[in-house]
Amino acid sequence: MSPPISSSSDVIDFVVHKGNGVKGLVDTGLETVPEPYIQPLEERLDPTKFQSENSIPIIDVSNWDDPKVVDSICDAASKWGFFQIVNHGVPLEVLENLKNAAHSFFQLPSEERKKYLKENSPSEAVCLCTSFSPQAEKVLEWKDFLRLSWVSEDQASAFWPPVCKEEALEYVKKVELVTKRLLEVLLKRLGVKEIDRTTEYKLMASPILSLNYYPCCPSPELTAGVGRHSDISTITILLQDDTGGLYVRGTSKDSWIHVPTVNGALVINIGDILQIMSNDKYKSIEHRAIANRSKNRVSIPFFVNPGSDATIGPLPEVLASGETPIYKHVVFSDYFKHFFGKGHDGKKTVEFAKI
Protein backbone atom coordinates (compact mmCIF):
# COMPACT_ATOMS: atom_id res chain seq x y z
CA MET A 1 0.00 0.00 0.00
CA SER A 2 1.69 3.17 -1.16
CA PRO A 3 -0.83 5.91 -1.95
CA PRO A 4 0.32 9.21 -3.43
CA ILE A 5 0.76 11.30 -0.29
CA SER A 6 2.38 14.51 -1.37
CA SER A 7 0.61 17.30 0.49
CA SER A 8 -0.66 18.02 3.99
CA SER A 9 -4.25 17.66 2.79
CA ASP A 10 -3.39 14.23 1.33
CA VAL A 11 -1.90 13.15 4.66
CA ILE A 12 -4.92 14.31 6.66
CA ASP A 13 -7.30 12.68 4.16
CA PHE A 14 -5.42 9.35 4.29
CA VAL A 15 -4.89 9.30 8.07
CA VAL A 16 -8.08 10.91 9.40
CA HIS A 17 -10.84 10.85 6.77
CA LYS A 18 -10.02 7.45 5.27
CA GLY A 19 -9.28 6.04 8.72
CA ASN A 20 -5.82 4.60 8.08
CA GLY A 21 -4.33 6.29 11.13
CA VAL A 22 -0.64 6.97 11.67
CA LYS A 23 -0.09 3.19 11.63
CA GLY A 24 -1.33 3.11 8.03
CA LEU A 25 0.91 6.06 7.22
CA VAL A 26 4.00 4.35 8.63
CA ASP A 27 3.11 1.18 6.71
CA THR A 28 3.51 3.09 3.43
CA GLY A 29 7.25 3.19 4.18
CA LEU A 30 7.62 6.91 4.81
CA GLU A 31 11.13 8.06 5.76
CA THR A 32 10.41 11.60 6.95
CA VAL A 33 7.78 13.13 9.22
CA PRO A 34 4.93 14.68 7.18
CA GLU A 35 4.21 18.37 7.72
CA PRO A 36 0.91 17.93 9.67
CA TYR A 37 2.85 16.12 12.43
CA ILE A 38 5.72 18.59 12.84
CA GLN A 39 5.32 20.47 16.12
CA PRO A 40 6.33 24.14 16.45
CA LEU A 41 9.64 24.57 18.30
CA GLU A 42 7.97 25.65 21.54
CA GLU A 43 5.98 22.39 21.70
CA ARG A 44 8.92 20.03 21.15
CA LEU A 45 10.45 18.24 24.11
CA ASP A 46 13.70 20.02 24.98
CA PRO A 47 16.33 17.57 26.35
CA THR A 48 18.04 20.41 28.23
CA LYS A 49 14.93 20.71 30.45
CA PHE A 50 15.03 17.15 31.85
CA GLN A 51 15.09 16.60 35.64
CA SER A 52 16.35 13.54 37.51
CA GLU A 53 14.26 10.38 37.09
CA ASN A 54 14.31 9.66 40.81
CA SER A 55 11.64 12.22 41.67
CA ILE A 56 8.48 10.18 40.97
CA PRO A 57 7.75 7.93 43.99
CA ILE A 58 7.45 4.15 43.62
CA ILE A 59 5.13 2.84 46.35
CA ASP A 60 4.78 -0.78 47.50
CA VAL A 61 1.05 -1.25 48.16
CA SER A 62 1.15 -4.88 49.27
CA ASN A 63 -0.46 -3.67 52.51
CA TRP A 64 -3.01 -0.98 51.65
CA ASP A 65 -3.89 -0.50 55.34
CA ASP A 66 -0.35 0.36 56.44
CA PRO A 67 -0.40 4.04 57.56
CA LYS A 68 2.97 4.56 55.83
CA VAL A 69 1.47 3.37 52.52
CA VAL A 70 -1.53 5.67 53.01
CA ASP A 71 0.76 8.62 53.76
CA SER A 72 2.97 7.85 50.76
CA ILE A 73 0.01 7.75 48.37
CA CYS A 74 -1.60 10.94 49.68
CA ASP A 75 1.71 12.81 49.83
CA ALA A 76 2.55 11.80 46.26
CA ALA A 77 -0.93 12.86 45.10
CA SER A 78 -0.45 16.26 46.75
CA LYS A 79 3.15 16.95 45.76
CA TRP A 80 3.62 15.21 42.42
CA GLY A 81 0.21 14.15 41.12
CA PHE A 82 2.06 11.13 39.72
CA PHE A 83 3.45 7.97 41.31
CA GLN A 84 4.00 4.30 40.55
CA ILE A 85 2.67 1.35 42.52
CA VAL A 86 4.07 -2.17 42.79
CA ASN A 87 2.69 -5.33 44.45
CA HIS A 88 -0.80 -4.07 43.58
CA GLY A 89 -2.37 -7.48 43.03
CA VAL A 90 -2.69 -7.46 39.23
CA PRO A 91 -0.61 -10.47 38.08
CA LEU A 92 2.34 -9.80 35.79
CA GLU A 93 0.90 -12.27 33.27
CA VAL A 94 -2.29 -10.18 33.00
CA LEU A 95 -0.21 -7.05 32.31
CA GLU A 96 1.95 -8.76 29.69
CA ASN A 97 -1.05 -10.35 27.99
CA LEU A 98 -2.74 -6.97 27.63
CA LYS A 99 0.35 -5.30 26.15
CA ASN A 100 0.69 -8.15 23.65
CA ALA A 101 -3.02 -7.90 22.80
CA ALA A 102 -2.65 -4.17 22.10
CA HIS A 103 0.15 -4.91 19.64
CA SER A 104 -1.99 -7.69 18.10
CA PHE A 105 -4.87 -5.31 17.42
CA PHE A 106 -2.68 -2.76 15.65
CA GLN A 107 -0.98 -5.51 13.62
CA LEU A 108 -4.36 -6.50 12.16
CA PRO A 109 -4.84 -5.70 8.45
CA SER A 110 -6.02 -2.14 7.89
CA GLU A 111 -9.49 -3.23 6.78
CA GLU A 112 -9.96 -5.24 9.99
CA ARG A 113 -8.97 -2.27 12.15
CA LYS A 114 -11.29 0.03 10.21
CA LYS A 115 -14.30 -2.01 11.35
CA TYR A 116 -13.95 -0.16 14.66
CA LEU A 117 -13.83 3.39 13.30
CA LYS A 118 -16.64 5.55 14.69
CA GLU A 119 -18.65 5.36 11.46
CA ASN A 120 -18.30 1.55 11.27
CA SER A 121 -18.22 0.42 14.89
CA PRO A 122 -21.02 -1.88 16.05
CA SER A 123 -21.26 -0.04 19.38
CA GLU A 124 -20.28 3.12 21.22
CA ALA A 125 -18.39 0.76 23.54
CA VAL A 126 -15.51 0.57 21.05
CA CYS A 127 -13.96 3.20 18.78
CA LEU A 128 -10.70 3.38 16.82
CA CYS A 129 -9.29 6.92 16.77
CA THR A 130 -6.15 8.74 15.70
CA SER A 131 -4.23 11.70 17.16
CA PHE A 132 -6.27 13.44 19.91
CA SER A 133 -8.98 15.62 18.40
CA PRO A 134 -8.05 15.93 14.71
CA GLN A 135 -10.84 18.36 13.86
CA ALA A 136 -9.73 20.80 16.57
CA GLU A 137 -5.92 20.58 16.79
CA LYS A 138 -3.42 22.51 14.68
CA VAL A 139 -0.81 19.71 14.59
CA LEU A 140 -1.59 15.99 14.62
CA GLU A 141 -0.19 13.69 17.33
CA TRP A 142 1.78 10.56 16.42
CA LYS A 143 -0.69 8.11 17.96
CA ASP A 144 -3.61 5.82 17.18
CA PHE A 145 -5.79 4.42 19.95
CA LEU A 146 -8.59 1.95 20.49
CA ARG A 147 -11.07 3.30 23.04
CA LEU A 148 -12.90 0.62 25.01
CA SER A 149 -15.71 1.97 27.20
CA TRP A 150 -16.36 -0.22 30.23
CA VAL A 151 -20.08 -0.52 30.95
CA SER A 152 -20.60 -4.22 31.62
CA GLU A 153 -18.97 -7.56 30.92
CA ASP A 154 -21.87 -8.51 28.62
CA GLN A 155 -21.42 -5.40 26.48
CA ALA A 156 -17.63 -5.82 26.35
CA SER A 157 -17.97 -9.50 25.40
CA ALA A 158 -20.39 -8.59 22.63
CA PHE A 159 -18.52 -5.68 21.04
CA TRP A 160 -14.84 -5.45 21.97
CA PRO A 161 -12.51 -6.80 19.23
CA PRO A 162 -11.89 -10.57 19.55
CA VAL A 163 -8.12 -10.12 19.20
CA CYS A 164 -7.89 -8.20 22.49
CA LYS A 165 -11.23 -8.75 24.23
CA GLU A 166 -10.32 -11.47 26.75
CA GLU A 167 -7.05 -9.81 27.76
CA ALA A 168 -8.70 -6.40 28.18
CA LEU A 169 -11.59 -7.85 30.19
CA GLU A 170 -9.29 -9.74 32.53
CA TYR A 171 -7.23 -6.62 33.13
CA VAL A 172 -10.21 -4.30 33.71
CA LYS A 173 -11.74 -6.60 36.30
CA LYS A 174 -8.44 -6.72 38.21
CA VAL A 175 -7.64 -3.02 37.91
CA GLU A 176 -11.09 -1.99 39.16
CA LEU A 177 -10.13 -3.42 42.55
CA VAL A 178 -6.96 -1.28 42.53
CA THR A 179 -9.06 1.76 41.58
CA LYS A 180 -11.37 1.29 44.55
CA ARG A 181 -8.50 0.89 47.02
CA LEU A 182 -6.75 4.00 45.70
CA LEU A 183 -9.88 6.13 45.88
CA GLU A 184 -10.70 4.87 49.38
CA VAL A 185 -7.23 5.96 50.54
CA LEU A 186 -7.32 9.33 48.78
CA LEU A 187 -10.85 10.27 49.84
CA LYS A 188 -10.41 9.18 53.45
CA ARG A 189 -7.63 11.76 53.72
CA LEU A 190 -10.17 14.34 52.49
CA GLY A 191 -12.60 13.44 55.28
CA VAL A 192 -14.92 11.16 53.29
CA LYS A 193 -15.87 8.36 55.68
CA GLU A 194 -17.30 6.02 53.05
CA ILE A 195 -17.85 6.10 49.30
CA ASP A 196 -21.63 5.78 48.90
CA ARG A 197 -23.35 5.15 45.57
CA THR A 198 -23.78 8.84 44.78
CA THR A 199 -20.10 9.58 45.42
CA GLU A 200 -19.08 6.46 43.48
CA TYR A 201 -21.07 7.72 40.48
CA LYS A 202 -19.23 11.05 40.66
CA LEU A 203 -15.88 9.27 40.84
CA MET A 204 -15.88 6.19 38.66
CA ALA A 205 -19.14 5.46 36.81
CA SER A 206 -17.79 5.67 33.25
CA PRO A 207 -14.26 4.22 32.96
CA ILE A 208 -12.48 3.93 29.63
CA LEU A 209 -9.60 1.63 28.71
CA SER A 210 -7.48 3.03 25.88
CA LEU A 211 -5.00 0.94 23.90
CA ASN A 212 -2.56 3.64 22.73
CA TYR A 213 -0.24 2.79 19.85
CA TYR A 214 2.75 4.90 18.82
CA PRO A 215 4.33 3.46 15.66
CA CYS A 216 8.05 3.92 14.97
CA CYS A 217 8.69 7.52 14.03
CA PRO A 218 11.57 8.62 11.74
CA SER A 219 12.14 11.81 13.79
CA PRO A 220 10.43 11.59 17.20
CA GLU A 221 12.03 14.85 18.33
CA LEU A 222 9.89 16.76 15.78
CA THR A 223 6.60 15.26 16.92
CA ALA A 224 4.34 14.70 19.92
CA GLY A 225 3.03 11.24 20.71
CA VAL A 226 0.71 13.04 23.11
CA GLY A 227 0.92 16.79 23.61
CA ARG A 228 1.10 18.61 26.97
CA HIS A 229 -2.07 18.05 28.97
CA SER A 230 -3.54 16.92 32.26
CA ASP A 231 -6.14 14.14 32.29
CA ILE A 232 -9.78 15.01 32.86
CA SER A 233 -10.35 11.78 34.79
CA THR A 234 -10.72 11.29 38.53
CA ILE A 235 -7.56 9.22 38.41
CA THR A 236 -5.75 7.41 35.59
CA ILE A 237 -4.05 4.04 35.97
CA LEU A 238 -1.44 3.56 33.25
CA LEU A 239 0.29 0.41 32.08
CA GLN A 240 3.54 1.24 30.27
CA ASP A 241 5.57 -1.07 28.06
CA ASP A 242 9.37 -1.16 28.38
CA THR A 243 10.01 1.44 25.64
CA GLY A 244 9.66 4.55 27.82
CA GLY A 245 8.57 7.94 26.56
CA LEU A 246 6.28 9.34 29.28
CA TYR A 247 7.29 12.71 30.74
CA VAL A 248 5.64 14.68 33.54
CA ARG A 249 6.02 18.32 34.45
CA GLY A 250 8.86 18.83 36.94
CA THR A 251 9.00 21.09 39.95
CA SER A 252 11.23 23.74 38.40
CA LYS A 253 10.04 26.01 35.61
CA ASP A 254 9.64 24.34 32.21
CA SER A 255 11.32 21.13 33.42
CA TRP A 256 10.24 17.57 32.58
CA ILE A 257 10.78 14.27 34.39
CA HIS A 258 10.94 10.96 32.51
CA VAL A 259 8.80 8.30 34.18
CA PRO A 260 11.01 5.20 34.10
CA THR A 261 9.54 1.86 33.12
CA VAL A 262 9.36 -0.49 36.11
CA ASN A 263 8.50 -4.11 35.43
CA GLY A 264 5.10 -4.97 36.90
CA ALA A 265 4.35 -1.41 38.03
CA LEU A 266 1.28 0.69 37.33
CA VAL A 267 1.62 4.46 36.94
CA ILE A 268 -1.03 6.46 38.79
CA ASN A 269 -1.87 10.06 38.06
CA ILE A 270 -4.41 12.41 39.56
CA GLY A 271 -6.92 13.80 37.07
CA ASP A 272 -8.60 17.20 36.94
CA ILE A 273 -11.78 15.86 38.52
CA LEU A 274 -10.01 14.82 41.73
CA GLN A 275 -8.12 18.13 41.77
CA ILE A 276 -11.49 19.91 41.61
CA MET A 277 -13.17 17.65 44.17
CA SER A 278 -10.23 18.06 46.57
CA ASN A 279 -10.21 21.86 46.05
CA ASP A 280 -6.53 21.64 44.99
CA LYS A 281 -5.40 19.33 47.82
CA TYR A 282 -4.44 16.89 45.08
CA LYS A 283 -2.86 17.99 41.81
CA SER A 284 -3.45 16.86 38.25
CA ILE A 285 -0.11 17.32 36.53
CA GLU A 286 0.78 18.14 32.96
CA HIS A 287 2.36 15.25 31.08
CA ARG A 288 3.26 14.27 27.54
CA ALA A 289 4.59 11.30 25.57
CA ILE A 290 6.95 10.79 22.66
CA ALA A 291 7.22 8.04 20.08
CA ASN A 292 10.34 5.95 19.49
CA ARG A 293 12.58 5.82 16.44
CA SER A 294 13.05 2.04 16.41
CA LYS A 295 10.22 0.48 18.43
CA ASN A 296 6.44 0.50 18.22
CA ARG A 297 5.34 1.72 21.65
CA VAL A 298 2.12 0.87 23.48
CA SER A 299 0.74 2.45 26.62
CA ILE A 300 -2.59 1.57 28.15
CA PRO A 301 -4.37 4.10 30.36
CA PHE A 302 -7.49 3.21 32.35
CA PHE A 303 -9.33 6.50 32.73
CA VAL A 304 -11.52 6.46 35.84
CA ASN A 305 -14.26 8.94 34.91
CA PRO A 306 -17.47 10.19 36.54
CA GLY A 307 -20.87 9.46 35.04
CA SER A 308 -21.48 11.79 32.11
CA ASP A 309 -24.31 13.67 33.84
CA ALA A 310 -22.56 13.80 37.24
CA THR A 311 -22.16 17.27 38.77
CA ILE A 312 -18.58 17.85 39.88
CA GLY A 313 -17.33 20.37 42.43
CA PRO A 314 -15.36 20.55 45.69
CA LEU A 315 -16.52 17.86 48.13
CA PRO A 316 -18.62 19.10 51.08
CA GLU A 317 -16.19 17.34 53.44
CA VAL A 318 -13.32 19.41 52.04
CA LEU A 319 -15.20 22.68 52.57
CA ALA A 320 -16.64 21.70 55.97
CA SER A 321 -14.06 23.73 57.91
CA GLY A 322 -14.93 26.91 56.05
CA GLU A 323 -12.39 26.66 53.25
CA THR A 324 -13.22 28.86 50.25
CA PRO A 325 -14.12 26.86 47.12
CA ILE A 326 -11.80 27.42 44.16
CA TYR A 327 -14.15 25.69 41.71
CA LYS A 328 -17.80 25.97 40.75
CA HIS A 329 -20.00 22.95 40.07
CA VAL A 330 -19.88 21.68 36.49
CA VAL A 331 -21.50 18.75 34.68
CA PHE A 332 -18.84 16.23 33.64
CA SER A 333 -20.16 15.92 30.06
CA ASP A 334 -19.67 19.70 29.61
CA TYR A 335 -16.13 19.46 30.94
CA PHE A 336 -15.48 16.47 28.64
CA LYS A 337 -16.75 18.35 25.55
CA HIS A 338 -14.63 21.39 26.43
CA PHE A 339 -11.50 19.19 26.67
CA PHE A 340 -12.07 17.51 23.31
CA GLY A 341 -13.16 20.72 21.60
CA LYS A 342 -9.57 21.95 21.34
CA GLY A 343 -6.06 20.61 20.96
CA HIS A 344 -3.96 19.66 23.97
CA ASP A 345 -2.99 22.87 25.76
CA GLY A 346 -1.35 22.00 29.04
CA LYS A 347 -3.37 22.71 32.18
CA LYS A 348 -5.86 25.15 30.66
CA THR A 349 -8.89 22.83 30.76
CA VAL A 350 -9.28 23.12 34.53
CA GLU A 351 -9.85 26.88 34.14
CA PHE A 352 -13.29 25.91 32.77
CA ALA A 353 -14.34 24.94 36.31
CA LYS A 354 -12.75 27.79 38.26
CA ILE A 355 -14.91 30.36 40.01
Side-chain angles (χ1 to χ4, degrees):
M1 180 174 67
S2 188
I5 302 177
S6 55
S7 68
S8 290
S9 60
D10 286 341
V11 170
I12 292 167
D13 185 54
F14 179 76
V15 170
V16 179
H17 304 138
K18 292 182 177 167
N20 290 291
V22 70
K23 170 69 165 65
L25 191 64
V26 169
D27 285 347
T28 66
L30 87 170
E31 296 177 357
T32 57
V33 174
E35 190 67 31
Y37 287 94
I38 296 177
Q39 293 287 337
L41 276 171
E42 65 273 15
E43 291 299 333
R44 297 179 199 171
L45 191 59
D46 182 351
T48 66
K49 301 286 177 66
F50 292 169
Q51 262 185 262
S52 162
E53 289 190 359
N54 298 325
S55 307
I56 300 296
I58 299 172
I59 303 169
D60 183 336
V61 295
S62 49
N63 181 1
W64 288 98
D65 299 321
D66 183 339
K68 290 181 181 175
V69 172
V70 172
D71 285 346
S72 295
I73 289 171
C74 296
D75 290 349
S78 301
K79 183 179 179 183
W80 296 106
F82 257 87
F83 53 97
Q84 302 203 59
I85 59 172
V86 294
N87 296 322
H88 40 66
V90 184
L92 187 61
E93 182 183 19
V94 173
L95 306 181
E96 293 303 316
N97 287 347
L98 182 59
K99 288 185 277 189
N100 292 336
H103 279 288
S104 295
F105 176 82
F106 285 99
Q107 296 306 323
L108 288 172
S110 177
E111 294 311 308
E112 282 295 308
R113 296 197 305 275
K114 286 183 183 181
K115 289 178 181 177
Y116 299 99
L117 292 168
K118 186 176 182 180
E119 60 268 27
N120 303 332
S121 180
S123 165
E124 290 183 357
V126 55
C127 187
L128 176 63
C129 311
T130 193
S131 191
F132 167 64
S133 190
Q135 317 309 329
E137 55 202 347
K138 294 174 183 172
V139 182
L140 295 176
E141 297 181 351
W142 196 269
K143 178 190 75 170
D144 297 330
F145 61 101
L146 184 70
R147 188 177 68 227
L148 302 172
S149 298
W150 174 237
V151 176
S152 69
E153 187 167 351
D154 285 348
Q155 189 191 58
S157 297
F159 297 116
W160 288 4
V163 73
C164 59
K165 174 169 54 187
E166 295 304 324
E167 295 83 358
L169 260 173
E170 189 175 15
Y171 176 76
V172 165
K173 285 188 280 188
K174 299 280 188 190
V175 89
E176 272 202 320
L177 300 174
V178 177
T179 300
K180 287 176 180 175
R181 294 309 301 260
L182 279 167
L183 288 175
E184 284 168 2
V185 167
L186 290 163
L187 265 71
K188 193 168 185 181
R189 181 59 61 92
L190 297 178
V192 178
K193 291 185 172 61
E194 67 168 320
I195 299 175
D196 59 22
R197 297 187 83 166
T198 302
T199 307
E200 187 173 286
Y201 188 77
K202 290 183 177 185
L203 292 168
M204 54 184 296
S206 304
I208 293 170
L209 184 71
S210 184
L211 310 186
N212 293 350
Y213 187 79
Y214 308 84
C216 295
C217 178
S219 302
E221 69 281 358
L222 300 180
T223 66
V226 180
R228 300 180 300 109
H229 72 289
S230 60
D231 291 349
I232 59 166
S233 57
T234 305
I235 57 172
T236 302
I237 300 179
L238 176 74
L239 174 60
Q240 289 204 91
D241 69 6
D242 61 0
T243 308
L246 172 64
Y247 292 83
V248 306
R249 179 66 82 186
T251 48
S252 57
K253 192 177 186 300
D254 291 337
S255 65
W256 294 93
I257 300 167
H258 184 240
V259 179
T261 59
V262 176
N263 192 38
L266 293 169
V267 180
I268 312 299
N269 67 278
I270 304 302
D272 287 358
I273 297 307
L274 193 53
Q275 176 172 322
I276 292 166
M277 293 176 89
S278 71
N279 210 38
D280 277 1
K281 298 283 191 305
Y282 300 136
K283 303 290 194 296
S284 69
I285 300 296
E286 228 179 323
H287 52 287
R288 65 199 303 173
I290 57 169
N292 190 279
R293 195 181 304 273
S294 57
K295 289 179 74 176
N296 298 321
R297 175 179 183 259
V298 297
S299 71
I300 304 169
F302 183 66
F303 298 108
V304 181
N305 295 328
S308 63
D309 59 347
T311 300
I312 307 302
L315 290 163
E317 292 87 347
V318 174
L319 302 179
S321 62
E323 188 174 310
T324 303
I326 299 167
Y327 301 98
K328 60 190 176 187
H329 284 80
V330 296
V331 177
F332 180 65
S333 59
D334 293 339
Y335 196 84
F336 190 91
K337 286 172 192 167
H338 177 66
F339 181 62
F340 282 97
K342 55 190 176 53
H344 279 139
D345 56 2
K347 279 280 292 177
K348 290 183 181 175
T349 307
V350 79
E351 301 293 325
F352 179 79
K354 283 200 170 170
I355 291 174

